[in-house]
Amino acid sequence: MRTFALASLAGGLAACLPAQTFVVDANAGPGTQFTSLPAAVAAVPSGAVLDVRPGLYSGFSIAAKSLTILGRPGVRVIDLGNPPIRIDAIGSAQHVVLHGLELAHVSVVATVHCTNSTGTLVLDGCRSDSSTSPVGGRLVATDCTNLHVQRCTFATSGLFDSALQLQRCAATLTSSTFAASLAVPMSIANSTVDGTDCTIRAGIVAPTLALH
């Protein structure tokens, strides 16, 4: 089985690129360089590290560049209309790391949506469930060949919304929880998945896994 040392990766990136680290603080505390997380994501150069302080932030999109977002405890990303987080077209020499983010949506399932990426995508310690969002959250990935999910929780009460949806992906899942009360918790099609120490919970809908 494969394991992915995200803590080493994230720490190594921050240590190697101190000049590329930017502070994001919704409360504009000392040393703040951005108060808006979407603005920071759009403005910083490829390879940058965002040190995000506790607060409420709008959703954002990452496309075609490397970026590490290190959320301190109490960082919540919320959106009113779109998926809170979108990741697209990350090239084979690029990476995206998301650490410690809570995800929320006002009326529908909060979604991390990853698409069309051959680069390394890492989610570590991220959470979207009833404690962060009214109907919870899910991870949806399509055509992503290097996806790593570690110490995350995705749980949804949305009708027909699986907590994990993979299509044409290669993924490792480590020490994570995927739960759905009104849908199949995991829906996986044409994908390779390596899972270690994960919890999968179903509600009234069986089976637990849908493999296509």
Side-chain angles (χ1 to χ4, degrees):
M1 294 184 180
R2 292 172 291 172
T3 58
F4 198 81
L6 174 117
S8 296
L9 173 61
L13 288 170
C16 293
L17 297 173
Q20 296 293 318
T21 298
F22 300 85
V23 175
V24 184
D25 187 349
N27 300 305
T32 299
Q33 291 158 295
F34 295 94
T35 57
S36 164
L37 186 51
V41 169
V44 300
S46 183
V49 176
L50 297 181
D51 175 9
V52 187
R53 293 173 178 169
L56 192 65
Y57 298 90
S58 298
F60 58 87
S61 297
I62 304 171
K65 72 177 181 181
S66 293
L67 188 63
T68 297
I69 300 179
L70 304 179
R72 300 189 188 186
V75 171
R76 182 166 295 185
V77 179
I78 186 169
D79 210 300
L80 301 179
N82 298 312
I85 298 176
R86 293 182 177 182
I87 302 171
D88 182 57
I90 306 304
S92 59
Q94 297 174 321
H95 63 267
V96 170
V97 178
L98 304 180
H99 169 74
L101 305 182
E102 296 181 350
L103 311 175
H105 199 288
V106 172
S107 58
V108 299
V109 175
T111 302
V112 178
H113 197 187
C114 307
T115 53
N116 305 317
S117 296
T118 55
T120 301
L121 309 182
V122 180
L123 279 70
D124 175 73
C126 295
R127 172 179 290 271
S128 189
D129 57 17
S130 60
S131 71
T132 68
S133 189
V135 288
R138 61 181 179 167
L139 169 61
V140 178
T142 304
D143 295 315
C144 296
T145 59
N146 199 2
L147 174 65
H148 304 271
V149 183
Q150 178 173 308
R151 300 184 300 167
C152 291
T153 296
F154 291 96
T156 171
S157 59
L159 187 62
F160 307 125
D161 290 316
S162 297
L164 177 67
Q165 298 178 32
L166 301 178
Q167 187 169 9
R168 298 183 300 275
C169 292
T172 65
L173 313 175
T174 306
S175 302
S176 294
T177 297
F178 303 94
S181 57
L182 298 175
V184 176
M186 301 175 70
S187 178
I188 300 170
N190 302 312
S191 299
T192 301
V193 178
D194 185 351
T196 305
D197 297 327
C198 290
T199 300
I200 304 168
R201 292 198 302 266
I204 63 174
V205 178
T208 301
L209 302 178
L211 304 177
H212 306 284

